[in-house]
Amino acid sequence: MRSCVRSSRALSPALFPRLLSDAGCWGTQPARRGLWSSPRNLSSGLDTQQQRPLPSQARVVICGGGIVGTSVAYHLAKLGWTEIVLLEQGRLGAGTTRMCAGIVSVAKPIIIESKMADYSNALYERLEEETGVKTGFVRTGSLCLAQNQDRFLSLKRLASRLKVMGINCNVIKPKEVAKLHPLVNIHDLVGALHLPGDAVVSSPDVNHALAVAAASYGVQIHERTTVNHILLEKGHVTGVETDRGPIECEYFVNCAGQWAYELGQASETKMSVPLHGCEHFYLLTKPLEKPLAPNTPVVMDMDGRIYVRPWQGGVLSGGFEKNPKPIFTEGRNQQDVQNMQEDWDHFEPMLSALLRRMPGLESSEIQQLVNCPESFTPDMRCLMGETPTVHGYYVLAGMNSSGLSFAGGAGKYLAEWMTYGYPTANVWPLDIKRFGNLQSSRTFLRHRVMEVMPLLYELKVPRWDFQTGRQLRTSPLYDRLDTQGGRWMEKHGFERAKYFVPPGKDLLSLDQSKTFYKPDWFDIVGAEVKCCKEAVCTIDMSSFTKFELTSTGDQALELLQHLCANDLDVPVGHIVHTGMLNERGGYENDCSVVRLSKNSFFIISPTDQQVHCWSWIKRHMPNDPQLHLEDVSWKYTALNLIGPRAMDVLSELSYVSMTPEHFPSLFCKEMSVGYANGIRVMSMTHTGEPGFMLYIPIEYALHVYNEVMSVGQKYGIRNAGYYALRSLRIEKFFAFWGQDLDSFTTPLECGREFRVKFDKDTDFLGREALLQQRQAGVTRRFVMLVLEDHDTELDLWPWWGEPIFRNGLLAGTTTSSAYSYTLERHVCLGFVSPPPGEDGAPAAITPDFINRGDYEVDIAGQRYPAKAKLYPFSSLFAQQRRRKDDMELSNFQGK
């Protein structure tokens, strides 16, 4: 590299004034282009020295020649695809891939991300043997440091989850850290997580190896080719327009990284690809006086907001600062973004953190400060999958500074998705259909990514919430509820009340309460649950997804009978709980359907299903002008009236008897409530408690709410939030889609066979798969576990993702949990499986297996005994407690 004044400077912050005076020394140095390695000529499949003509047609066109795009091309080719064309606007791997830090770690916040990183690790290790291209792969391992007990607990929880996946990891003491890394200052550490399998690579070389491998399978790679427009016809991809001419194609994959958002706008139907770029800085030193060994572990000091890896005898160190700098890519090409300027003032806090953690670097020499572009998404998870409105248009982008760790696994899953119609793992947390157009505002994205980037290393306790981009979607009751103490969380952009703070409580301390233990809102939620069970509560559930399906003939019924596992041919006014299944029998949606009239249906789905469910229904709808689907989510406010006195409140407001004899369970009537007409009143609450859901036209919402609260005063009415709802539904063993159910879960595995129309001579999606599963037996089962010998006041709480052990052997994981105020114990829901048979095949599970085992739930490495059941047993405990109370009372009276 070119020599420079700054290259001879030591790392001491005292030198900053002198360093900053050396203006223009780095920034646009040509040497940066050779940071890892120079672009290489590949095989004949890659257009490098002179541009070969583009093919006139292909099966799939991939836009983006970074490590994500080459991974998709490689995996599609491995699955037998032909006529694959990869287009890159500049040089192959010359964007973020060229400058990324080269760390491959499985220390990720959710299971699917750890799976992708684990696969990437294995892929990069074998690529050199497969291609002959050196990738710089070194299995260094990594150390995740903890400066406080909360961080240490989060690492212990991570370790428990990784062990379930079979990933080797160890929770270690500070002294062991010092043995593993010669430079780490351990004086302020309480512990660490050691991941021996983590690695470092040269990301441009991995990209080059993937491109070589893809080209050897027949993939055509064309550099210096810009995609200007994606051609569509009747909701399908038909081709792309480039600056070198058109290419006809059936599939298009947007792997454009920083430019994925703009590329999403480059078609007649605009695609929402919600991501935004930020500048990401890291420092390179010259080799240390005692060069650092290449296999020295990577250090992730998240409390210090930095990472450090060995690099050519010195170190590479970057981080995720609290005040990130967004990148504005509009109108800028790859070269513009490559030449971003260094900013020593901005990097100073991370440099100081580095010297605190590794004081031995004080005298080391700086080689370069790199400013690398990275793209981030609104929820810190990448974007993957087919877009909801155009068939054949796929996206893989927004890697949140983990592109190298994710690229191998993400490319594999997307290739499977395109080949089979689904990936081999549950990728819903990454599915692009979790977002809609509402998250595509540039202003929203700029504000949100400035929060997201620091959050990557922020300590995240259960129930944390984003602070930016809020109050985007609100119920008409929002202001009214807010003045009554509502504390809010956000779901799919919609504000939902968590709980309501009574007058006199310290609002600030509650908002700032963050813990893995008993939370400060415990008693508040307990009072709301008690009111739901003994009096009456209202919960605003307007965020629910709501569709209306209508037809002139039987088309609506025929479509729903095909899509839904349960029988929808019911009398008008009846409500049916049903799943919409895929061909494997897994849940694509879990919903309630009301038959409003002979040819009209009201479909209620989870909040985050708005885009996915719409896409699923439209995908299977025939092209019939007499069949109409409308999203009416915004038309209705949903008010959940829960509790034994709910019928009294509604009776007074409607002058109609609401007793079960006159208003049976799972029934819907359009009624007047107060002065308002056309209220859809449904006898269900989504909790198992008695009560009603009111779907109110939004112009009447405030009136109906005020009337309900006024009349309800004599019955002890109060507001409640989603935390109370969660406690109620979990103790009743109610599974929720997205938490307990996913596209790999079947009704037979979660005790919902009674919601499947096996007795009807009606074909529906997933029927054959369910019949086969019923014949062979299910290999896993949804269970309810009640913790025993667990101190709610002092012990760590379960939240979700905890390992479940049966007779000392790993049997599954929890999917959701809550404290049951009825049972006065913690309840966990999750899936368990028996050990595989002698032939290694999954064994069928039996009720005896569930009922006769000794169960434990692992919370951050500590196991707690639990009792497992296949049905809710709140009533059993309630009876036992009443008998205990009666005995105590009689003993007291006898004294």
Side-chain angles (χ1 to χ4, degrees), residues 374-385:
E374 293 280 2
S375 56
F376 299 86
T377 64
D379 62 356
M380 299 185 292
R381 299 172 186 171
C382 75
L383 306 171
M384 176 191 295

Side-chain angles (χ1 to χ4, degrees), residues 704-760:
V704 172
Y705 172 78
N706 288 337
E707 290 293 298
V708 165
M709 295 303 287
S710 177
V711 170
Q713 290 303 312
K714 66 171 73 77
Y715 301 109
I717 198 168
R718 67 180 291 168
N719 293 300
Y722 271 78
Y723 285 7
L725 183 83
R726 183 183 182 87
S727 176
L728 290 167
R729 74 96 176 166
I730 286 178
E731 73 177 22
K732 285 295 199 299
F733 203 10
F734 281 18
F736 267 26
W737 196 93
Q739 296 175 39
D740 309 300
L741 310 178
D742 57 41
S743 60
F744 287 83
T745 307
T746 74
L748 277 61
E749 293 169 347
C750 58
R752 294 185 173 191
E753 186 171 348
F754 66 96
R755 292 184 182 174
V756 181
K757 53 194 174 199
F758 285 126
D759 57 335
K760 300 286 184 179

